[in-house]
mmCIF file of all heavy atoms in Angstrom:
data_model
loop_
_atom_site.group_PDB
_atom_site.id
_atom_site.type_symbol
_atom_site.label_atom_id
_atom_site.label_comp_id
_atom_site.label_asym_id
_atom_site.label_seq_id
_atom_site.Cartn_x
_atom_site.Cartn_y
_atom_site.Cartn_z
ATOM 1 N N PHE A 58 126.298 77.351 -189.440
ATOM 2 C CA PHE A 58 125.791 76.128 -190.050
ATOM 3 C C PHE A 58 126.620 74.933 -189.598
ATOM 4 O O PHE A 58 127.846 74.954 -189.647
ATOM 5 C CB PHE A 58 125.809 76.221 -191.582
ATOM 6 C CG PHE A 58 124.899 75.208 -192.190
ATOM 7 C CD1 PHE A 58 123.586 75.516 -192.465
ATOM 8 C CD2 PHE A 58 125.343 73.912 -192.413
ATOM 9 C CE1 PHE A 58 122.723 74.562 -192.966
ATOM 10 C CE2 PHE A 58 124.479 72.956 -192.910
ATOM 11 C CZ PHE A 58 123.164 73.282 -193.195
ATOM 12 N N THR A 60 126.342 70.397 -189.453
ATOM 13 C CA THR A 60 125.567 69.175 -189.677
ATOM 14 C C THR A 60 126.504 67.966 -189.685
ATOM 15 O O THR A 60 127.690 68.082 -189.974
ATOM 16 C CB THR A 60 124.795 69.218 -191.021
ATOM 17 O OG1 THR A 60 124.060 68.008 -191.177
ATOM 18 C CG2 THR A 60 125.732 69.378 -192.219
ATOM 19 N N ASN A 62 125.404 65.361 -191.435
ATOM 20 C CA ASN A 62 124.839 64.640 -192.566
ATOM 21 C C ASN A 62 125.457 65.156 -193.872
ATOM 22 O O ASN A 62 125.254 66.303 -194.269
ATOM 23 C CB ASN A 62 123.323 64.880 -192.529
ATOM 24 C CG ASN A 62 122.584 64.163 -193.624
ATOM 25 O OD1 ASN A 62 123.103 63.971 -194.714
ATOM 26 N ND2 ASN A 62 121.345 63.797 -193.343
ATOM 27 N N GLN A 63 126.195 64.306 -194.521
ATOM 28 C CA GLN A 63 126.915 64.761 -195.717
ATOM 29 C C GLN A 63 125.974 65.234 -196.827
ATOM 30 O O GLN A 63 126.278 66.173 -197.568
ATOM 31 C CB GLN A 63 127.827 63.659 -196.251
ATOM 32 C CG GLN A 63 128.712 64.226 -197.336
ATOM 33 C CD GLN A 63 129.702 63.247 -197.899
ATOM 34 O OE1 GLN A 63 129.858 62.151 -197.382
ATOM 35 N NE2 GLN A 63 130.370 63.659 -198.948
ATOM 36 N N GLU A 64 124.826 64.590 -196.900
ATOM 37 C CA GLU A 64 123.871 64.974 -197.935
ATOM 38 C C GLU A 64 123.395 66.424 -197.735
ATOM 39 O O GLU A 64 123.285 67.202 -198.692
ATOM 40 C CB GLU A 64 122.678 64.007 -197.880
ATOM 41 C CG GLU A 64 121.900 63.957 -199.151
ATOM 42 C CD GLU A 64 120.585 63.195 -198.977
ATOM 43 O OE1 GLU A 64 120.536 62.254 -198.158
ATOM 44 O OE2 GLU A 64 119.608 63.568 -199.646
ATOM 45 N N ILE A 65 123.140 66.762 -196.464
ATOM 46 C CA ILE A 65 122.682 68.130 -196.158
ATOM 47 C C ILE A 65 123.818 69.127 -196.412
ATOM 48 O O ILE A 65 123.617 70.228 -196.934
ATOM 49 C CB ILE A 65 122.222 68.235 -194.677
ATOM 50 C CG1 ILE A 65 121.083 67.247 -194.389
ATOM 51 C CG2 ILE A 65 121.836 69.658 -194.301
ATOM 52 C CD1 ILE A 65 119.777 67.560 -195.040
ATOM 53 N N TRP A 66 125.026 68.728 -196.059
ATOM 54 C CA TRP A 66 126.191 69.602 -196.266
ATOM 55 C C TRP A 66 126.392 69.859 -197.770
ATOM 56 O O TRP A 66 126.547 70.996 -198.210
ATOM 57 C CB TRP A 66 127.415 68.947 -195.626
ATOM 58 C CG TRP A 66 128.690 69.739 -195.715
ATOM 59 C CD1 TRP A 66 129.847 69.350 -196.311
ATOM 60 C CD2 TRP A 66 128.948 71.037 -195.154
ATOM 61 N NE1 TRP A 66 130.803 70.327 -196.161
ATOM 62 C CE2 TRP A 66 130.279 71.371 -195.466
ATOM 63 C CE3 TRP A 66 128.173 71.956 -194.432
ATOM 64 C CZ2 TRP A 66 130.861 72.593 -195.079
ATOM 65 C CZ3 TRP A 66 128.754 73.166 -194.040
ATOM 66 C CH2 TRP A 66 130.079 73.459 -194.360
ATOM 67 N N ASP A 67 126.334 68.804 -198.566
ATOM 68 C CA ASP A 67 126.480 68.963 -200.011
ATOM 69 C C ASP A 67 125.338 69.818 -200.569
ATOM 70 O O ASP A 67 125.545 70.648 -201.448
ATOM 71 C CB ASP A 67 126.472 67.598 -200.723
ATOM 72 C CG ASP A 67 127.722 66.785 -200.400
ATOM 73 O OD1 ASP A 67 128.710 67.386 -199.927
ATOM 74 O OD2 ASP A 67 127.702 65.558 -200.625
ATOM 75 N N TYR A 68 124.172 69.589 -200.019
ATOM 76 C CA TYR A 68 123.003 70.329 -200.514
ATOM 77 C C TYR A 68 123.212 71.835 -200.340
ATOM 78 O O TYR A 68 123.089 72.610 -201.284
ATOM 79 C CB TYR A 68 121.741 69.876 -199.757
ATOM 80 C CG TYR A 68 120.487 70.502 -200.317
ATOM 81 C CD1 TYR A 68 119.862 69.970 -201.435
ATOM 82 C CD2 TYR A 68 119.953 71.663 -199.752
ATOM 83 C CE1 TYR A 68 118.733 70.565 -201.984
ATOM 84 C CE2 TYR A 68 118.827 72.267 -200.289
ATOM 85 C CZ TYR A 68 118.219 71.710 -201.397
ATOM 86 O OH TYR A 68 117.106 72.309 -201.946
ATOM 87 N N VAL A 69 123.580 72.239 -199.125
ATOM 88 C CA VAL A 69 123.685 73.669 -198.844
ATOM 89 C C VAL A 69 124.884 74.289 -199.565
ATOM 90 O O VAL A 69 124.863 75.465 -199.949
ATOM 91 C CB VAL A 69 123.670 73.911 -197.310
ATOM 92 C CG1 VAL A 69 124.989 73.595 -196.674
ATOM 93 C CG2 VAL A 69 123.219 75.306 -196.976
ATOM 94 N N ASN A 70 125.898 73.477 -199.806
ATOM 95 C CA ASN A 70 127.087 73.980 -200.514
ATOM 96 C C ASN A 70 126.829 74.274 -202.000
ATOM 97 O O ASN A 70 127.655 74.903 -202.655
ATOM 98 C CB ASN A 70 128.258 73.010 -200.355
ATOM 99 C CG ASN A 70 129.060 73.300 -199.104
ATOM 100 O OD1 ASN A 70 130.012 74.072 -199.122
ATOM 101 N ND2 ASN A 70 128.653 72.713 -197.989
ATOM 102 N N MET A 352 119.341 74.929 -188.387
ATOM 103 C CA MET A 352 119.204 75.045 -189.852
ATOM 104 C C MET A 352 119.293 73.704 -190.585
ATOM 105 O O MET A 352 118.525 73.447 -191.518
ATOM 106 C CB MET A 352 120.281 75.987 -190.410
ATOM 107 C CG MET A 352 120.050 77.425 -190.051
ATOM 108 S SD MET A 352 121.356 78.485 -190.695
ATOM 109 C CE MET A 352 122.671 78.157 -189.534
ATOM 110 N N HIS A 353 120.239 72.870 -190.176
ATOM 111 C CA HIS A 353 120.393 71.602 -190.895
ATOM 112 C C HIS A 353 119.160 70.717 -190.724
ATOM 113 O O HIS A 353 118.771 69.973 -191.624
ATOM 114 C CB HIS A 353 121.655 70.853 -190.446
ATOM 115 C CG HIS A 353 121.672 70.471 -188.999
ATOM 116 N ND1 HIS A 353 121.686 71.390 -187.975
ATOM 117 C CD2 HIS A 353 121.666 69.267 -188.397
ATOM 118 C CE1 HIS A 353 121.703 70.759 -186.813
ATOM 119 N NE2 HIS A 353 121.678 69.471 -187.037
ATOM 120 N N GLN A 354 118.516 70.836 -189.562
ATOM 121 C CA GLN A 354 117.300 70.049 -189.331
ATOM 122 C C GLN A 354 116.136 70.577 -190.168
ATOM 123 O O GLN A 354 115.289 69.817 -190.625
ATOM 124 C CB GLN A 354 116.941 70.083 -187.840
ATOM 125 C CG GLN A 354 118.014 69.451 -186.975
ATOM 126 C CD GLN A 354 117.861 69.794 -185.504
ATOM 127 O OE1 GLN A 354 117.508 70.933 -185.154
ATOM 128 N NE2 GLN A 354 118.146 68.850 -184.633
ATOM 129 N N ILE A 356 116.446 71.987 -193.119
ATOM 130 C CA ILE A 356 116.656 71.523 -194.503
ATOM 131 C C ILE A 356 116.253 70.058 -194.617
ATOM 132 O O ILE A 356 115.570 69.650 -195.562
ATOM 133 C CB ILE A 356 118.136 71.717 -194.927
ATOM 134 C CG1 ILE A 356 118.451 73.207 -194.982
ATOM 135 C CG2 ILE A 356 118.408 71.042 -196.276
ATOM 136 C CD1 ILE A 356 119.886 73.517 -195.344
ATOM 137 N N HIS A 357 116.639 69.285 -193.635
ATOM 138 C CA HIS A 357 116.301 67.869 -193.630
ATOM 139 C C HIS A 357 114.783 67.679 -193.681
ATOM 140 O O HIS A 357 114.251 66.896 -194.481
ATOM 141 C CB HIS A 357 116.898 67.208 -192.386
ATOM 142 C CG HIS A 357 116.836 65.721 -192.438
ATOM 143 N ND1 HIS A 357 115.818 65.003 -191.850
ATOM 144 C CD2 HIS A 357 117.641 64.806 -193.017
ATOM 145 C CE1 HIS A 357 116.003 63.717 -192.069
ATOM 146 N NE2 HIS A 357 117.104 63.565 -192.779
ATOM 147 N N ALA A 358 114.077 68.425 -192.824
ATOM 148 C CA ALA A 358 112.616 68.296 -192.764
ATOM 149 C C ALA A 358 111.981 68.749 -194.082
ATOM 150 O O ALA A 358 111.034 68.119 -194.578
ATOM 151 C CB ALA A 358 112.064 69.110 -191.596
ATOM 152 N N LEU A 360 113.346 68.701 -197.091
ATOM 153 C CA LEU A 360 113.625 67.722 -198.155
ATOM 154 C C LEU A 360 112.785 66.460 -197.978
ATOM 155 O O LEU A 360 112.370 65.824 -198.954
ATOM 156 C CB LEU A 360 115.117 67.368 -198.191
ATOM 157 C CG LEU A 360 116.040 68.504 -198.663
ATOM 158 C CD1 LEU A 360 117.501 68.075 -198.587
ATOM 159 C CD2 LEU A 360 115.694 68.946 -200.082
ATOM 160 N N ARG A 371 116.075 64.161 -206.506
ATOM 161 C CA ARG A 371 116.268 65.584 -206.732
ATOM 162 C C ARG A 371 117.052 65.815 -208.003
ATOM 163 O O ARG A 371 117.891 65.046 -208.356
ATOM 164 C CB ARG A 371 117.018 66.209 -205.559
ATOM 165 C CG ARG A 371 116.155 66.376 -204.357
ATOM 166 C CD ARG A 371 116.729 67.426 -203.466
ATOM 167 N NE ARG A 371 118.091 67.102 -203.023
ATOM 168 C CZ ARG A 371 118.370 66.293 -202.004
ATOM 169 N NH1 ARG A 371 117.392 65.746 -201.345
ATOM 170 N NH2 ARG A 371 119.609 66.059 -201.665
#
Side-chain angles (χ1 to χ4, degrees):
F58 199 91
T60 180
N62 182 328
Q63 189 177 352
E64 201 191 328
I65 301 291
W66 182 240
D67 292 342
Y68 186 82
V69 77
N70 272 270
M352 289 179 283
H353 61 296
Q354 297 165 321
I356 294 178
H357 192 264
L360 291 177
R371 285 202 301 278

